[in-house]
Amino acid sequence: MGSINIANSKNRDAIVNTKSVHSPLRVRWLDEKGRQVQSVRLLRCTIDRDADALIKLAGSLDKVSELLLKGDPEVDVESYGRTLSDTSRVYIDPDKKIVHKILEFENVRNADGSLRERRPRVVPVPNTATETPLKWSGKLIKKSEVFNRFVFANKMQVVHVNGLTYDFLYNMAKELHEQQSLMLLGSGPKSNQPLIFQRGGTPYRGFLEGRIEGDKYCLILHLSNMELKVPEVQVAPAATVPAEGGTSEPVKTVEPAPKAAAPEAKSEAPAAPEASSTKKKTPRAKKS
Amino acid sequence: MARALVFQLDGREHSVSPEKIDRTKLYGAIDVEALDSKNRKCQLATLADDGRTIVGAGGSSFATLSPDGLWMEKTELKAVDTEGKHIMPVASSYSAPIPLTKKATIDEYLAHNIKGVYVVRSEGDVSALVDELKKGVIYSFPYSFRGGLEADVGFLLAGQDGTAFMAIGQPTRIHFVGLEQASVLTEEETETTADDDSVDFDMM
């Protein structure tokens, strides 16, 4: 459950909760005795024994088969097959060593694959639960006009945290319900900036919908990052970007200051496991 | 060439080829490149919990274990729902015509998370279907690309310019909330005694 700082049409604001409305996993797998089985992630290959490492060890690709016939250099019997948990994401250099300081760039491409801009990466910061509330934009779009204009990829429900915020949100939902409209909800002074819920998260356009039923309400924040329309250009093969950081095209390039990889979970795990670990969840059964 | 999907409407079959659209095709994309201090391109890898083992792409895989920790093949397992009832697998939507018999309201459509959008293209005459969609009708149907345990919800609808689209969504759990259903309000159970109203300074 998250939180959001939101203002109503009278410019009164409150911090309330957001709730995920994602449907939970509905499939369980049972063995022949009717017991639930578990999924685990297993180690099957490490980078010191992968194809590149074997080629380096053998001297050339042709000699790898000879190496494989003589022994089992591709298998570490001590570690292969063990379960992986509490892993971290790290960056490695071409020598397969962990990199502690990296420079991150974004290659911005047009729809046809051509490079539009190259710039230092800026990680988006969350803006929905800050001291500045998300303003009531008042920009209403009828449901009948909006449903086929945008692709609503995600949504969350805005819920109260106490009696005062119940009234606050109920009235908000009622106002929108009566209008049969969705209200554009954005960040920034003009309420026209995208909503970002987590650091580095996907920026979305927000559309607030309200429904009421007796003394109950349903305030839904629809999130969209795409219009429902046909692409205008044909997608061409992606332009190549030199691996060594330069570009062959005249694009904007700004050198960022080097930064430590640790805050973004790209450092070595022992340094700060709690900050960098990405706990792997049990995989869900594949849906159709 | 995209696979053909056949819709049945009013006794007529309409064969269409859905073509996926996404943000990259509409607006382009951003790819992130990480460079080390020597300006060499770095790649992401996984560091195991021992802090030493580095696993590259494809270096791990998922397996299924029984409660006793024994290896299980997926074919030996039975899929059930949350109530323990056996789940009947659904066939691929491309294996048989899809009857368009169910219409969805805008509210029903908006209650789904849309995870994929396709523009509906056809070399045949699908004007009857498109004309119906242009009136604002939204058809819904179970959709599964490959077939599997669960079908998603497919929607056929017309865009603002009248182009036919197919949206694939998943239902959400949006629901009405009342005052008593406050998300963080929890009432602690306390024992009441006759002295509850008294002011007790001993505890201080």
Side-chain angles (χ1 to χ4, degrees):
Chain A
M1 190 172 295
S3 55
I4 188 169
N5 190 358
I6 189 169
N8 66 7
S9 57
K10 292 171 186 164
N11 217 14
R12 304 288 186 271
D13 58 272
I15 295 176
V16 288
N17 282 344
T18 54
K19 229 164 111 177
S20 167
V21 289
H22 185 76
S23 291
L25 178 67
R26 283 171 291 183
V27 179
R28 292 188 300 134
W29 290 95
L30 306 180
D31 67 3
E32 72 283 357
K33 291 177 186 167
R35 299 175 304 172
Q36 187 162 336
V37 297
Q38 55 170 327
S39 285
V40 289
R41 193 169 163 225
L42 300 179
L43 175 64
R44 56 188 282 202
C45 181
T46 51
I47 57 162
D48 56 344
R49 289 170 190 267
D50 66 5
D52 290 343
L54 292 180
I55 292 168
K56 202 174 172 184
L57 187 68
S60 70
L61 184 61
D62 306 337
K63 292 176 186 168
V64 172
S65 53
E66 205 177 303
L67 205 65
L68 294 175
L69 286 169
K70 279 183 188 168
D72 296 317
E74 81 283 16
V75 181
D76 178 2
V77 289
E78 291 295 323
S79 62
Y80 282 22
R82 74 181 166 96
T83 56
L84 286 173
S85 60
D86 293 326
T87 56
S88 310
R89 297 292 278 165
V90 290
Y91 272 114
I92 54 171
D93 63 19
D95 300 327
K96 313 282 184 186
K97 303 278 183 220
I98 292 175
V99 182
H100 299 276
K101 280 190 176 177
I102 52 160
L103 293 166
E104 283 186 304
F105 288 92
E106 289 177 340
N107 296 317
V108 184
R109 299 189 182 282
N110 295 311
D112 63 1
S114 59
L115 192 64
R116 185 193 313 162
E117 187 188 352
R118 182 176 162 79
R119 64 190 183 199
R121 187 184 178 206
V122 179
V123 179
V125 290
N127 58 14
T128 54
T130 60
E131 285 179 359
T132 314
L134 301 175
K135 286 190 173 176
W136 183 268
S137 71
K139 290 172 194 161
L140 299 169
I141 313 173
K142 289 278 177 201
K143 278 187 197 178
S144 55
E145 291 168 14
V146 78
F147 81 97
N148 60 354
R149 208 168 138 193
F150 303 98
V151 178
F152 298 106
N154 208 346
K155 54 185 90 315
M156 52 181 62
Q157 202 165 338
V158 183
V159 292
H160 57 281
V161 293
N162 52 34
L164 277 176
T165 50
Y166 163 78
D167 289 336
F168 176 76
L169 294 181
Y170 180 87
N171 290 330
M172 210 183 261
K174 192 178 171 199
E175 213 171 318
L176 294 169
H177 178 84
E178 285 165 356
Q179 300 277 349
Q180 279 298 298
S181 301
L182 268 60
M183 190 191 71
L184 202 60
L185 188 72
S187 62
K190 290 182 181 173
S191 196
N192 58 357
Q193 299 297 311
L195 303 176
I196 299 159
F197 292 89
Q198 295 102 26
R199 185 173 184 273
T202 308
Y204 285 110
R205 297 283 169 194
F207 298 84
L208 196 62
E209 182 194 356
R211 300 177 191 179
I212 54 165
E213 201 178 76
D215 60 353
K216 293 182 174 179
Y217 72 95
C218 184
L219 205 54
I220 311 157
L221 180 55
H222 299 274
L223 302 170
S224 174
N225 62 353
M226 189 174 135
E227 293 159 282
L228 187 62
K229 64 178 186 181
V230 181
E232 287 170 5
V233 291
Q234 287 293 315
V235 178
T240 53
V241 176
E244 299 305 312
T247 65
S248 56
E249 297 175 48
V251 289
K252 258 198 287 184
T253 305
V254 186
E255 291 297 322
K259 66 177 179 182
E264 284 208 78
K266 288 156 195 161
S267 67
E268 270 187 292
E274 67 282 357
S276 59
S277 67
T278 46
K279 291 191 177 175
K280 299 292 170 191
K281 290 177 184 171
T282 308
R284 291 180 171 198
K286 273 197 174 176
K287 291 183 182 175
S288 55
Chain B
M1 182 69 185
R3 293 164 77 185
L5 200 57
V6 180
F7 292 110
Q8 273 179 344
L9 181 67
D10 299 331
R12 279 190 66 186
E13 290 196 346
H14 303 272
S15 179
V16 300
S17 301
E19 183 188 316
K20 187 154 189 168
I21 52 173
D22 55 24
R23 271 190 59 83
T24 306
K25 288 181 183 172
L26 285 174
Y27 313 110
I30 298 175
D31 55 79
V32 177
E33 196 177 85
L35 305 176
D36 67 3
S37 55
K38 293 175 187 164
N39 231 20
R40 296 180 301 174
K41 202 170 178 178
C42 301
Q43 56 177 328
L44 273 170
T46 302
L47 184 67
D49 56 359
D50 61 4
R52 291 183 298 115
T53 309
I54 303 172
V55 186
S60 66
S61 56
F62 285 102
T64 309
L65 300 182
S66 73
D68 308 320
L70 300 175
W71 185 275
M72 302 289 294
E73 292 294 337
K74 208 82 173 181
T75 49
E76 300 172 71
L77 306 175
K78 192 172 78 170
V80 296
D81 63 14
T82 47
E83 291 167 1
K85 290 178 191 162
H86 181 59
I87 297 175
M88 289 298 291
V90 293
S92 166
S93 300
Y94 293 83
S95 61
I98 303 166
L100 294 177
T101 51
K102 196 178 166 193
K103 291 178 183 176
T105 62
I106 293 174
D107 278 353
E108 283 167 352
Y109 173 71
L110 287 176
H112 289 74
N113 279 338
I114 303 301
K115 61 177 197 177
V117 185
Y118 300 78
V119 59
V120 174
R121 299 200 189 278
S122 177
E123 288 175 3
D125 178 21
V126 289
S127 54
L129 174 62
V130 174
D131 288 347
E132 193 72 8
L133 298 176
K134 278 182 182 172
K135 290 177 194 165
V137 174
I138 307 170
Y139 285 106
S140 79
F141 52 91
Y143 177 83
S144 175
F145 183 77
R146 287 189 188 87
L149 294 173
E150 274 189 311
D152 290 318
V153 185
F155 294 97
L156 268 182
L157 69 159
Q160 295 267 306
D161 61 353
T163 309
F165 289 96
M166 181 173 82
I168 307 302
Q170 285 183 325
T172 57
R173 294 179 297 158
I174 55 173
H175 58 283
F176 285 89
V177 284
L179 176 61
E180 72 284 358
Q181 289 167 287
S183 52
V184 293
L185 283 182
T186 50
E187 204 169 300
E188 284 182 23
E189 283 185 17
T190 52
E191 285 184 19
T192 53
T193 64
D195 295 328
D196 269 354
D197 293 336
S198 62
V199 181
D200 182 8
F201 280 83
D202 282 352
M203 61 182 282
M204 299 169 75

Short mmCIF file of all heavy atoms in Angstrom, two decimals, chain B residues 1 20 28 31 36 43 60 75-76 80 89 120-121 135 152 168 171 177 195:
data_model
loop_
_atom_site.label_atom_id
_atom_site.label_comp_id
_atom_site.label_asym_id
_atom_site.label_seq_id
_atom_site.Cartn_x
_atom_site.Cartn_y
_atom_site.Cartn_z
N MET B 1 4.28 -12.32 -41.08
CA MET B 1 2.82 -12.16 -41.17
C MET B 1 2.18 -12.62 -39.87
O MET B 1 2.47 -13.70 -39.37
CB MET B 1 2.31 -13.00 -42.36
CG MET B 1 0.82 -12.89 -42.61
SD MET B 1 0.36 -11.26 -43.20
CE MET B 1 -1.40 -11.42 -43.24
N LYS B 20 0.70 -5.89 -33.16
CA LYS B 20 0.95 -5.29 -31.84
C LYS B 20 1.51 -3.87 -31.97
O LYS B 20 2.38 -3.61 -32.80
CB LYS B 20 1.91 -6.16 -31.05
CG LYS B 20 2.09 -5.68 -29.63
CD LYS B 20 2.48 -6.75 -28.68
CE LYS B 20 2.41 -6.21 -27.27
NZ LYS B 20 2.49 -7.17 -26.25
N GLY B 28 9.07 5.91 -29.79
CA GLY B 28 10.49 5.61 -29.70
C GLY B 28 10.81 5.00 -28.35
O GLY B 28 9.90 4.61 -27.61
N ASP B 31 17.22 3.57 -24.32
CA ASP B 31 17.99 2.48 -23.74
C ASP B 31 19.15 3.05 -22.93
O ASP B 31 19.74 4.06 -23.29
CB ASP B 31 18.46 1.46 -24.80
CG ASP B 31 19.22 2.09 -25.92
OD1 ASP B 31 20.39 2.38 -25.71
OD2 ASP B 31 18.64 2.31 -27.01
N ASP B 36 32.21 2.09 -17.84
CA ASP B 36 33.13 2.14 -16.70
C ASP B 36 34.08 3.33 -16.87
O ASP B 36 33.94 4.12 -17.81
CB ASP B 36 33.86 0.80 -16.52
CG ASP B 36 34.82 0.51 -17.66
OD1 ASP B 36 34.96 1.36 -18.56
OD2 ASP B 36 35.43 -0.58 -17.65
N GLN B 43 27.86 -4.56 -18.62
CA GLN B 43 26.57 -5.25 -18.72
C GLN B 43 26.10 -5.69 -17.34
O GLN B 43 26.90 -5.86 -16.42
CB GLN B 43 26.67 -6.42 -19.68
CG GLN B 43 27.74 -7.41 -19.32
CD GLN B 43 27.74 -8.59 -20.27
OE1 GLN B 43 26.71 -9.00 -20.78
NE2 GLN B 43 28.90 -9.16 -20.52
N SER B 60 20.84 -18.86 -14.82
CA SER B 60 19.98 -19.46 -13.79
C SER B 60 18.68 -19.91 -14.43
O SER B 60 18.33 -19.45 -15.53
CB SER B 60 19.70 -18.45 -12.67
OG SER B 60 18.92 -17.40 -13.16
N THR B 75 4.89 -31.84 -15.98
CA THR B 75 3.85 -32.76 -16.47
C THR B 75 3.26 -33.61 -15.34
O THR B 75 2.18 -34.16 -15.48
CB THR B 75 4.43 -33.69 -17.55
OG1 THR B 75 5.64 -34.25 -17.05
CG2 THR B 75 4.70 -32.94 -18.84
N GLU B 76 4.00 -33.72 -14.25
CA GLU B 76 3.51 -34.53 -13.11
C GLU B 76 2.56 -33.73 -12.23
O GLU B 76 1.98 -34.27 -11.29
CB GLU B 76 4.68 -34.98 -12.24
CG GLU B 76 5.73 -35.83 -12.92
CD GLU B 76 6.91 -36.04 -11.98
OE1 GLU B 76 6.75 -36.78 -11.01
OE2 GLU B 76 7.97 -35.45 -12.24
N VAL B 80 -4.50 -26.10 -9.92
CA VAL B 80 -5.79 -25.87 -9.26
C VAL B 80 -5.94 -24.38 -8.97
O VAL B 80 -4.96 -23.63 -8.96
CB VAL B 80 -5.92 -26.67 -7.94
CG1 VAL B 80 -5.89 -28.16 -8.18
CG2 VAL B 80 -4.83 -26.26 -6.94
N PRO B 89 -7.57 -26.24 -18.86
CA PRO B 89 -6.79 -25.36 -19.73
C PRO B 89 -7.65 -24.78 -20.85
O PRO B 89 -8.62 -25.41 -21.28
CB PRO B 89 -5.72 -26.30 -20.31
CG PRO B 89 -5.73 -27.49 -19.44
CD PRO B 89 -7.10 -27.62 -18.89
N VAL B 120 -6.13 -3.81 -35.46
CA VAL B 120 -6.76 -4.92 -36.18
C VAL B 120 -6.69 -4.64 -37.68
O VAL B 120 -7.28 -3.68 -38.16
CB VAL B 120 -8.23 -5.08 -35.72
CG1 VAL B 120 -8.96 -6.12 -36.56
CG2 VAL B 120 -8.28 -5.46 -34.25
N ARG B 121 -5.91 -5.45 -38.37
CA ARG B 121 -5.78 -5.28 -39.82
C ARG B 121 -6.43 -6.47 -40.51
O ARG B 121 -6.46 -7.58 -39.96
CB ARG B 121 -4.31 -5.20 -40.22
CG ARG B 121 -3.57 -4.02 -39.58
CD ARG B 121 -2.32 -3.70 -40.36
NE ARG B 121 -1.49 -2.72 -39.68
CZ ARG B 121 -1.69 -1.40 -39.72
NH1 ARG B 121 -2.71 -0.91 -40.39
NH2 ARG B 121 -0.86 -0.58 -39.08
N LYS B 135 -19.77 2.56 -33.65
CA LYS B 135 -20.95 3.05 -32.92
C LYS B 135 -20.65 3.17 -31.43
O LYS B 135 -21.49 3.59 -30.65
CB LYS B 135 -22.12 2.09 -33.12
CG LYS B 135 -22.69 2.09 -34.53
CD LYS B 135 -23.79 1.03 -34.61
CE LYS B 135 -24.16 0.74 -36.05
NZ LYS B 135 -24.94 -0.53 -36.17
N ASP B 152 -6.99 -14.37 -20.82
CA ASP B 152 -7.13 -12.95 -20.51
C ASP B 152 -8.46 -12.48 -21.06
O ASP B 152 -9.20 -13.25 -21.67
CB ASP B 152 -5.98 -12.16 -21.15
CG ASP B 152 -4.65 -12.46 -20.48
OD1 ASP B 152 -4.62 -12.54 -19.24
OD2 ASP B 152 -3.65 -12.63 -21.20
N ILE B 168 -5.92 -6.27 -24.84
CA ILE B 168 -5.90 -7.45 -23.98
C ILE B 168 -5.72 -6.99 -22.54
O ILE B 168 -4.75 -6.29 -22.21
CB ILE B 168 -4.74 -8.41 -24.37
CG1 ILE B 168 -4.81 -8.74 -25.86
CG2 ILE B 168 -4.78 -9.68 -23.52
CD1 ILE B 168 -6.11 -9.38 -26.32
N PRO B 171 -8.64 -8.45 -15.42
CA PRO B 171 -9.57 -7.81 -14.48
C PRO B 171 -8.86 -7.34 -13.21
O PRO B 171 -7.84 -7.91 -12.83
CB PRO B 171 -10.58 -8.91 -14.16
CG PRO B 171 -9.98 -10.17 -14.62
CD PRO B 171 -8.92 -9.87 -15.61
N VAL B 177 -15.66 1.30 -1.18
CA VAL B 177 -15.25 1.28 0.23
C VAL B 177 -16.14 2.23 1.03
O VAL B 177 -16.52 3.30 0.56
CB VAL B 177 -13.76 1.67 0.43
CG1 VAL B 177 -12.84 0.55 0.04
CG2 VAL B 177 -13.41 2.94 -0.29
N ASP B 195 -13.17 0.45 36.36
CA ASP B 195 -12.32 1.61 36.69
C ASP B 195 -11.82 2.35 35.46
O ASP B 195 -10.97 3.22 35.57
CB ASP B 195 -11.12 1.15 37.52
CG ASP B 195 -11.56 0.62 38.87
OD1 ASP B 195 -12.56 1.12 39.40
OD2 ASP B 195 -10.90 -0.32 39.35
#
